[in-house]
Amino acid sequence: MNVPARTALPLHALLCCLVLGLSGCPPDPAPEVTYEGEVKDILNKRCAGCHQADSIAPFTLSNYEQASNLSSVIAHSVEQGSMPPWMPDNTCNNYERDLSLSDEEREALLDWAAIGAPQGESGNNDDAGAQTATEIRVDTEISMPESYSPQVSPDDYRCFLMDWNQDRPKYVTGFKVVPGSAQIVHHVIAFVVNPSGVDDFIAMDEADDGPGYTCFGSPVVGPQSVSSATRWRWLASWTPGSGARPMPTGTGIAIQPGSKIVVQLHYNTLEDEPIEDQTRLQLQLEDEVDRPALVLPLTNYRWLSGSESMLIPAGSPDTVHSMSADLSENVLGFLGGTIGLSTGDSFQMHSIGLHMHLLGSSGRSWIERADGKQQCLLDIPRWDFNWQGAYEFTEPVTVHPGDRFNLECQWDNSAGNQSPINGEIPEPQDIEWGDGTRSEMCLAIAYVTAL
Ligand code: HEC
């Protein structure tokens, strides 16, 4: 970062000097924050990834004129903590590709706006260009089979089946989403459909007119039998600004020939004109990896089967449900086989995300060690469905038998927190676990491998 230019003494200070002599001079004023001095670097590093032409954010922040015109709005969003959209509380754990502002960066933006957004030295108005993001090697690309124009406003949630194009088993070691129309694609979650599940997914696709099919909380609609964890599993997720995502070094997710990939897209469609989208995935592949990985959905499976209620009563502003389990006891026995883990093994957790729907207000996940110590995994104090993502730990977390995994979700089902359906705000109703927009989930999604 450049050293900011010194400012001239402000008028009131000059007057003090004149009236009181040198002793009346205030100490040197703090160097003034300018656009060229430091703000430009901060905006490039922290904001321009999304605030650039044809991206999801509604305006660009990549030159002085735009940034200074919007300086008070910028200060407001930074003060509120709504921008940049980084959801985790960083006192919980440390994550890779952290988008959040440091205290100094935050102060600089606020000070700059407060003194009228000066440009400073070496002014030019060239587009500064976004920070270069993480990249992956692109070994293959798969695409939505045809373009789709979102039909439902303001939010259209739709699943599309993509053909898998490899004729040998492969591991996905890097993942990137290339939105067809970046201004409307708000999130993408990709799932692997194992060969045994392909017919079920084709049937769901065919049962809905037009490209793809409507889906919301998971890629499954209709018969519960398709929910079987052996037929489909999570691959990766993407939100605008998250860039290419290499899987943790030496790890990858296996995909068998004859599989399909199903992607769920959330389209945010506030435009009047219909916009077509044909989103693609770019993948980095390997024949072998040191440690095969599994993306594990972790929850109270009794909520999922309906044998235990996850009731969120109509009108309640604050309902909390939580679960706690020794993962090495049950989940590994059930799902761990594909990555060489079985009941009683220790394992490593590399990343974690949270999944709730529109009524979610906060969520948190932590490990309670056998000796009673707690280790925080993820704390999202203000849940926002639009910004669900997976957060990769800078240090993977090792989980041993006897450790308990905990997950707690909080919802606001009061009248003031209902999302519009076809332009109308509905009355609150009792909510249970389910796939639809008017149902909820409480899931942690963890990327795990053997040690
Ligand atoms: C990950 C993508 C992303 C990043 C990074 C990001 N923004 Fe945004 N920003 C958005 C989107 C999308 C919107 C539109 C509103 C929404 O969807 O939340 C937005 C809206 C805004 C708004 C309008 C008011 C508001 O709060 O909604 C301001 C101001 C803003 N951003 C400033 C910033 C600044 C300053 C930074 C960097 C410090 C930043 N943004 C970083 C995506 C991003």
Side-chain angles (χ1 to χ4, degrees):
M1 206 175 279
N2 302 333
V3 178
R6 266 298 160 81
T7 47
L9 276 185
L11 188 63
H12 72 271
L14 209 60
L15 285 175
C16 293
C17 289
L18 289 175
V19 176
L20 301 171
L22 257 188
S23 64
C25 280
D28 274 358
E32 183 184 79
V33 184
T34 66
Y35 178 76
E36 296 295 340
E38 54 250 274
V39 169
K40 180 171 160 179
D41 282 351
I42 301 172
L43 297 180
N44 276 338
K45 194 161 148 217
R46 302 295 191 188
C47 321
C50 298
H51 288 272
Q52 56 180 301
D54 297 329
S55 187
I56 187 84
F59 48 85
T60 74
L61 282 177
S62 49
N63 65 39
Y64 175 66
E65 200 185 343
Q66 285 147 333
S68 59
N69 284 340
L70 291 167
S71 63
S72 56
V73 199
I74 292 175
H76 182 72
S77 70
V78 167
E79 205 152 33
Q80 297 286 307
S82 65
M83 286 289 145
W86 177 256
M87 298 299 133
D89 177 341
N90 282 352
T91 60
C92 169
N93 212 313
N94 296 314
Y95 309 97
E96 298 286 338
R97 296 177 287 279
D98 185 342
L99 287 179
S100 65
L101 296 170
S102 68
D103 290 347
E104 294 78 34
E105 291 170 332
R106 195 168 169 277
E107 285 296 302
L109 290 179
L110 294 178
D111 288 351
W112 178 67
I115 59 174
Q119 180 163 17
E121 295 294 309
S122 82
N124 68 50
N125 207 27
D126 291 347
D127 270 6
Q131 182 201 29
T132 39
T134 325
E135 276 307 330
I136 56 165
R137 187 188 69 234
V138 179
D139 294 314
T140 194
E141 188 171 281
I142 56 176
S143 169
M144 279 164 54
E146 53 187 317
S147 65
Y148 172 71
S149 172
Q151 311 287 314
V152 189
S153 180
D155 297 288
D156 193 341
Y157 303 96
R158 199 135 178 116
C159 282
F160 303 92
L161 274 177
M162 294 180 169
D163 286 334
W164 183 239
N165 57 10
Q166 304 290 311
D167 54 14
R168 288 206 254 140
K170 291 278 180 186
Y171 290 92
V172 174
T173 59
F175 172 88
K176 182 177 179 179
V177 169
V178 185
S181 294
Q183 65 273 39
I184 56 170
V185 178
H186 211 306
H187 79 234
V188 178
I189 305 178
F191 307 86
V192 182
V193 180
N194 294 333
S196 64
V198 165
D199 288 347
D200 290 332
F201 278 81
I202 291 177
M204 288 189 284
D205 195 1
E206 284 175 351
D208 195 324
D209 287 343
Y213 57 97
T214 296
C215 62
F216 180 71
S218 83
V220 174
V221 289
Q224 202 61 23
S225 63
V226 198
S227 295
S228 156
T230 56
R231 308 224 179 140
W232 63 276
R233 53 207 159 88
W234 292 67
L235 175 60
S237 65
W238 175 90
T239 47
S242 62
R245 212 165 246 277
M247 307 307 190
T249 312
T251 75
I253 294 181
I255 302 187
Q256 302 305 319
S259 301
K260 281 195 186 282
I261 303 295
V262 59
V263 287
Q264 192 216 34
L265 273 86
H266 169 195
Y267 292 111
N268 215 205
T269 51
L270 289 168
E271 320 279 333
D272 297 334
E273 295 290 310
I275 298 180
E276 302 246 309
D277 172 68
Q278 188 167 11
T279 286
R280 295 171 288 142
L281 303 185
Q282 294 183 333
L283 301 166
Q284 177 177 298
L285 302 176
E286 301 287 352
D287 291 335
E288 302 277 342
V289 292
D290 297 342
R291 289 182 292 165
L294 191 63
V295 183
L296 271 183
L298 299 171
T299 186
N300 177 346
Y301 292 96
R302 289 185 297 275
W303 292 332
L304 213 151
S305 67
S307 63
E308 201 173 294
S309 163
M310 197 188 78
L311 176 69
I312 306 163
S316 160
D318 178 15
T319 298
V320 175
H321 288 289
S322 59
M323 57 81 61
S324 174
D326 180 343
L327 301 180
S328 74
E329 242 168 46
N330 39 38
V331 182
L332 288 190
F334 180 47
L335 290 170
T338 51
I339 57 166
L341 287 173
S342 49
T343 310
D345 286 341
S346 297
F347 63 95
Q348 242 172 11
M349 195 180 276
H350 299 263
S351 81
I352 191 165
L354 220 68
H355 181 67
M356 290 183 268
H357 295 171
L358 301 166
L359 297 173
S361 50
S362 76
R364 155 177 113 79
S365 173
W366 68 99
I367 299 276
E368 186 172 337
R369 302 291 180 186
D371 65 5
K373 288 213 182 79
Q374 293 199 353
Q375 178 172 8
C376 190
L377 301 173
L378 183 65
D379 185 353
I380 309 261
R382 280 188 305 177
W383 170 251
D384 183 341
F385 182 81
N386 284 331
W387 294 111
Q388 50 187 312
Y391 302 95
E392 185 180 335
F393 305 117
T394 37
E395 290 289 327
V397 176
T398 302
V399 184
H400 302 288
D403 292 345
R404 291 193 78 78
F405 171 84
N406 293 274
L407 171 66
E408 184 182 274
C409 297
Q410 185 191 25
W411 294 269
D412 176 357
N413 193 14
S414 63
N417 193 40
Q418 304 296 315
S419 296
I421 296 177
N422 300 325
E424 305 267 318
I425 303 282
E427 288 290 309
Q429 66 179 36
D430 284 354
I431 300 288
E432 278 279 1
W433 181 285
D435 294 316
T437 29
R438 297 211 78 191
S439 59
E440 281 292 330
M441 289 191 183
C442 172
L443 268 183
I445 298 118
Y447 186 99
V448 305
T449 64
L451 288 186

